[in-house]
Amino acid sequence: MKIIMLGAPGAGKGTQAKKIAEKYGIPHISTGDIFRANIKNETELGKKAKEYMDQGLLVPDELTCDLVTDRIKNDDCKNGFILDGFPRTIPQAEALTKALEKMGQKMDFAIDVDVPDSAIIERMSGRRACLKCGATYHIVTIPPKQEGICDNCGAELVQRDDDKPETVQKRLTVYHDQTQPLIDYYKNEGILKTVDGTKDFEDVFTAITEILS
Ligand code: ADP
Ligand code: ADP
Ligand code: ZN
């Protein structure tokens, strides 16, 4: 099963993608997580990516496409994978389609987690992340058992640099300009499914698993 998660920043893509990956035993591939790991390890890629991420801009396609098209050739992707945060531009979607064509494959589902901008700001301002294991929480809707501490690994939770209100606004504008056109792209490919992302996270998960089964 090969799945793409679409949706605005903060729509709940990552939260759902992790649960789906677990349920179906497929790898969860998040470009945001890959960039953040590179920043933490102070790699060349991390240094370049950080410049864009801190401004709420997309990392250029040249730095992003090969990362994913190489990753999906790995053995662990044989039975499928779930892409979270990629593709984010039409050229990225085209690069993905091409790479899969070469492998004689195509994506099965593009799931758009639909959340209006008005709700996004609330989601992002309460988001807390574990930079050690990648888990994500929300101080009101999905709190950790112990405030400020990751349930999974016990590390300290932080607010991401790019989740500050000014940067969130910029990311939303970038989303509407560059990423939203992918909804039509995948509608044309005949694989688009939309779920109401404003519901509780269990309800969103149920809606997605119904689509997949
Ligand atoms: P969110 O969870 O809010 O959707 P991500 O963790 O997916 O955010 O991404 C954080 C930042 O990493 C983005 O704002 C962007 O700068 C960069 N990024 C992640 N994925 C991509 C991509 N496919 N193309 C370009 N930039 C990306
Ligand atoms: P994305 O990967 O699309 O940027 P996340 O999965 O990180 O989004 O979710 C953004 C924030 O909203 C996080 O703080 C997360 O805990 C919270 N969240 C996710 N899904 C829901 C939901 N259905 N209802 C309320 N809050 C949610
Ligand atoms: Zn953790």
Side-chain angles (χ1 to χ4, degrees):
M1 188 133 47
K2 292 188 282 300
I3 308 161
I4 295 170
M5 297 301 288
L6 294 176
K13 301 180 297 295
T15 302
Q16 297 297 334
K18 285 188 193 96
K19 284 202 71 182
I20 295 163
E22 209 173 284
K23 179 174 162 94
Y24 293 95
I26 52 176
H28 166 219
I29 303 173
S30 157
T31 40
D33 285 352
I34 295 171
F35 289 137
R36 279 185 291 276
N38 274 275
I39 291 172
K40 203 171 159 217
N41 295 327
E42 299 180 344
T43 68
E44 273 312 304
L45 174 64
K47 278 178 210 153
K48 286 185 195 152
K50 187 169 165 44
E51 281 175 40
Y52 297 93
M53 290 168 75
D54 282 351
Q55 297 178 65
L57 300 173
L58 294 183
V59 178
D61 292 340
E62 307 85 80
L63 297 177
T64 310
C65 289
D66 292 352
L67 205 69
V68 178
T69 53
D70 287 344
R71 175 70 184 83
I72 61 176
K73 288 179 195 147
N74 275 16
D75 243 18
D76 66 339
C77 292
K78 258 196 329 241
N79 297 323
F81 49 84
I82 181 159
L83 298 179
D84 164 17
F86 182 94
R88 255 182 161 95
T89 64
I90 294 283
Q92 289 181 13
E94 287 168 345
L96 175 65
T97 303
K98 245 201 198 145
L100 285 167
E101 260 168 18
K102 277 193 194 154
M103 300 158 70
Q105 297 180 13
K106 61 185 218 32
M107 297 304 298
D108 299 308
F109 297 99
I111 298 174
D112 180 33
V113 182
D114 188 28
V115 175
D117 286 9
S118 54
I120 292 293
I121 306 287
E122 172 62 32
R123 292 247 172 124
M124 304 282 254
S125 58
R127 173 156 65 185
R128 295 294 180 271
C130 173
L131 297 182
K132 192 168 173 205
C133 78
T136 302
Y137 305 85
H138 188 282
I139 51 173
V140 179
T141 56
I142 309 177
K145 290 196 186 81
Q146 194 186 338
E147 195 185 318
I149 303 292
C150 179
D151 291 352
N152 275 346
C153 74
E156 198 185 332
L157 300 176
V158 297
Q159 179 164 37
R160 273 167 46 179
D161 284 344
D162 59 346
D163 278 352
K164 294 188 201 104
E166 320 82 81
T167 319
V168 169
Q169 201 53 57
K170 178 71 196 167
R171 288 162 70 198
L172 275 175
T173 308
V174 167
Y175 167 75
H176 289 300
D177 286 351
Q178 301 193 56
T179 308
Q180 211 172 15
L182 295 180
I183 293 178
D184 278 336
Y185 180 94
Y186 287 109
K187 202 183 277 171
N188 287 333
E189 300 258 301
I191 62 166
L192 182 78
K193 304 281 175 190
T194 304
V195 295
D196 180 354
T198 63
K199 300 259 169 57
D200 281 354
F201 88 106
E202 286 93 351
D203 295 339
V204 181
F205 183 62
T206 305
I208 295 174
T209 49
E210 275 168 7
I211 290 167
L212 300 179
S213 58

